[in-house]
Amino acid sequence: METKTTGLVLREVNYKESDKILTVLTPEGKLTVKARGARKKESRVAACAQLFAYSELRLSEYRGRTTLTEGETVELFSGLRRDLEAMALGAYFLELAEAVTGEGEDCRDILSLTLNALYALDSLGKPAAVVKPAFELRLMALAGFRPMLDGCAACGKTEPESPRLNVTHGVLHCAACRGELRGGISLPVSAGTLAAMRFVLAAPGKKLFSFSASEETLRELGEVAEAYLHAQLERGFKTLDFYKSLT
Ligand SMILES: [Zn+2]
């Protein structure tokens, strides 16, 4: 069976002499796709079969295996390949997208978020200190781990006093209401960080990375977003370790 879709390559693994096995994020779900001959110079699918490539793909399915038969690149994010730090951060975004998506699931929003984040790093030159936490938080929300930031989870105050985010339970609370929550790790969040987090969860997709904050706020936002993601997904990421070794 032949199908047409668009897809972003999240992972590439060399296979046999000249093939690649790709993990591709499409609007209809994550797919494992074999790209036959993709490592040959004259290959017609070579450009589509590389990390970060976003392409229109023609796929053929036979006995549960999917093969890439033709493709036309839409966006290669070539700027990322010239900047090691941006590329490492982009690779972390791809690994995160892979971690929270599955086969046969509606992945339109996560695909669109990932493309916007790569575009923000590649073409818009947005600072990593903005793009990284915004991507992490928004991705968590789309993946079903949206933090509750409306008010204190214990007393209900819309603007909690000395606010903290309990990253284990994904709720906001006042410092004094800490005892009301059953355990978990809580981190302090300044008013600026809280405003940035609320913006990131509410903003339209294309505006997501269009906020500014002081260096101090961005540092705290970065720590809170990363801690939240790790507490929710309960795992680390090799690509993040690599990115951090560079920065
Ligand atoms: Zn409270």
Side-chain angles (χ1 to χ4, degrees), residues 23 29 50 54 62 77 79 84-85 98 109 127 152 154 166 173 195 200 205 214 216 241:
T23 305
Q50 49 180 336
Y54 176 60
Y62 180 66
F77 299 107
L84 185 60
E85 240 176 80
E98 186 182 354
D109 291 345
C152 173
N166 187 308
H173 64 88
V200 162
S214 70
E216 179 57 24
D241 297 338

Side-chain angles (χ1 to χ4, degrees), residues 152 155 174 177:
C152 173
C155 72
C174 316
C177 293

Side-chain angles (χ1 to χ4, degrees), residues 34-100:
K34 186 169 172 182
R36 206 169 276 145
R39 280 146 64 216
K40 285 185 187 157
K41 273 203 182 112
E42 69 277 18
S43 165
R44 287 188 307 158
V45 294
C48 305
Q50 49 180 336
L51 214 56
F52 297 115
Y54 176 60
S55 316
E56 287 177 11
L57 306 169
R58 194 180 281 273
L59 306 170
S60 88
E61 210 187 308
Y62 180 66
R63 291 190 175 168
R65 287 169 198 248
T66 308
T67 307
L68 174 62
T69 52
E70 263 179 78
E72 195 168 328
T73 57
V74 176
E75 181 60 68
L76 287 173
F77 299 107
S78 350
L80 298 181
R81 293 165 221 276
R82 294 189 291 268
D83 177 344
L84 185 60
E85 240 176 80
M87 188 170 79
L89 186 55
Y92 170 55
F93 292 169
L94 298 185
E95 194 181 5
L96 282 179
E98 186 182 354
V100 300

Side-chain angles (χ1 to χ4, degrees), residues 1 5 33 62 72 75 80 84 88 90-91 98 108 111 132 144 146-147 157 163 176 201 211 213 226 241-242:
M1 192 180 72
T5 187
V33 176
Y62 180 66
E72 195 168 328
E75 181 60 68
L80 298 181
L84 185 60
E98 186 182 354
R108 271 174 298 184
L111 175 60
K132 181 176 174 289
R146 187 189 182 88
K157 248 182 222 153
L201 292 178
F211 66 93
E226 206 179 286
D241 297 338
F242 178 65

Side-chain angles (χ1 to χ4, degrees), residues 79 90 194:
L194 183 53

